[in-house]
Amino acid sequence: MKRFTVYLLFFLAYIGAIIVEKPDFSNDANCFTNMPKLLVQFSLFAFMILANNLFLIPSLLEKKRFGSYIASLIALIALYTYFTGKYSQYVHGAIFHDKDSSAMAGYQGNFIYALCCTVISSMLYITQKWAEQREQVKNIQINQLQTELKYLRSQINPHFLFNGLNTVYGYIDMNNSQARDTMVQFSDLLRYNLYEADVDMIELEKEIKYLQNYVALQKARSNDNMKVTLNVNYKNGSVKIAPLIFMAFVENAFKYASRGDNVVNTITISLKEQAGRVEFTCDNSYDETEAATGGIGLNNAVRRLELLYKDRYKLDIKKEQSIYHVHLTITL
């Protein structure tokens, strides 16, 4: 709505400039009969402005393809100037009652005029995008503060918690290795959430270690008819990635995986990294008679991806043949 208002005001200013430049036009009794002729020139101008703002800036300038943007903008202005020059003789003779001129008369003036208009419209577009980004950052900061306040209100003293876990670990029988290993895995998960994941970016190797611990803990509490597979393959574990970026999908898989006693229920997770590109897949069987999978966790994950990896990620989520499939690709 704001962008539409900006365009409307800009085009009204264009029409006002024509009336100021040619005051006789506003007093002409036949101005309404000549309006269609003026609309042709206005349509050429509108096409130039909209093509720049809706295509050239988002596709070229925002992606820092400056050379292509400048060349395309000059070509667009030249095209507008050419057709305007072709039409100017008729427009000036029929509407403004000026002297007839050749098709290329005033080419330089029209080109400079079009260049100034596109620059002004580009500045309006960039200013508006900047204001939207500022507002978005402000909203993110507010949400982060609210989340931090909620976390602080509900936080248990970490030292007390870890001391309690160590005490429980000491009481577990030495022969019960499975219980002791599970306790260590749970402690590592908790430590990662409280201390290591509280950063903007973290090493991929640490994120993978957390994922392995989480899957191992979930496998330990799953029944025998649940088959869980985790495949990890990475070349550079030191590359940075947003912490817990995959966990919403993994948690969703364990939460909604089918648990029928008469069939083998599966969860297959794969994470691969090569040349700064991470590919993550997560497939789980699900019961079509139950509620639809997904929820606020997935919505938050998608929002984080959009904020942190805009134009650098591809997420594909689909359900087919009782399998819930997630495929995420991130370019680091």
Side-chain angles (χ1 to χ4, degrees), residues 200-212:
D200 294 332
M201 293 290 169
I202 197 168
E203 291 84 356
L204 177 63
E205 191 171 22
K206 292 183 178 180
E207 186 71 10
I208 290 175
K209 178 64 175 177
Y210 177 85
L211 179 62
Q212 290 172 333

Side-chain angles (χ1 to χ4, degrees), residues 138-150:
K138 184 178 179 180
N139 291 334
I140 293 173
Q141 291 174 343
I142 292 174
N143 291 334
Q144 287 178 340
L145 288 174
Q146 291 176 344
T147 302
E148 184 177 356
L149 286 174
K150 292 179 181 178

Side-chain angles (χ1 to χ4, degrees), residues 65-176:
R65 298 168 60 184
F66 301 114
S68 299
Y69 172 74
I70 293 174
S72 300
L73 182 61
I74 292 175
L76 178 65
I77 295 174
L79 186 67
Y80 163 79
T81 306
Y82 173 78
F83 283 107
T84 301
K86 284 288 188 180
Y87 196 66
S88 62
Q89 184 177 20
Y90 177 74
V91 169
H92 281 270
I95 298 180
F96 299 136
H97 309 295
D98 290 338
K99 295 179 181 180
D100 292 341
S101 57
S102 64
M104 291 295 101
Y107 182 92
Q108 183 178 2
N110 287 335
F111 187 90
I112 295 175
Y113 172 76
L115 179 61
C116 292
C117 288
T118 52
V119 169
I120 292 173
S121 67
S122 298
M123 292 175 62
L124 289 173
Y125 179 93
I126 294 172
T127 301
Q128 184 181 3
K129 291 286 287 186
W130 176 79
E132 290 176 354
Q133 290 175 355
R134 285 282 299 238
E135 184 177 358
Q136 188 179 47
V137 170
K138 184 178 179 180
N139 291 334
I140 293 173
Q141 291 174 343
I142 292 174
N143 291 334
Q144 287 178 340
L145 288 174
Q146 291 176 344
T147 302
E148 184 177 356
L149 286 174
K150 292 179 181 178
Y151 172 74
L152 291 174
R153 290 170 184 169
S154 60
Q155 185 181 28
I156 301 174
N157 188 303
H159 297 290
F160 172 79
L161 188 57
F162 282 119
N163 288 336
L165 289 175
N166 289 332
T167 301
V168 175
Y169 180 83
Y171 279 114
I172 299 177
D173 189 274
M174 292 293 294
N175 295 325
N176 194 344

Side-chain angles (χ1 to χ4, degrees), residues 45 53-54 168 174 182 217 234 236 269 315:
F45 178 80
N53 285 19
L54 300 181
V168 175
M174 292 293 294
T182 302
L217 189 62
Y234 60 97
N236 184 6
I269 304 168
L315 176 63

Side-chain angles (χ1 to χ4, degrees), residues 188-201:
D188 289 341
L189 292 176
L190 188 60
R191 183 177 291 104
Y192 185 86
N193 273 278
L194 290 176
Y195 297 118
E196 298 188 50
D198 190 22
V199 292
D200 294 332
M201 293 290 169

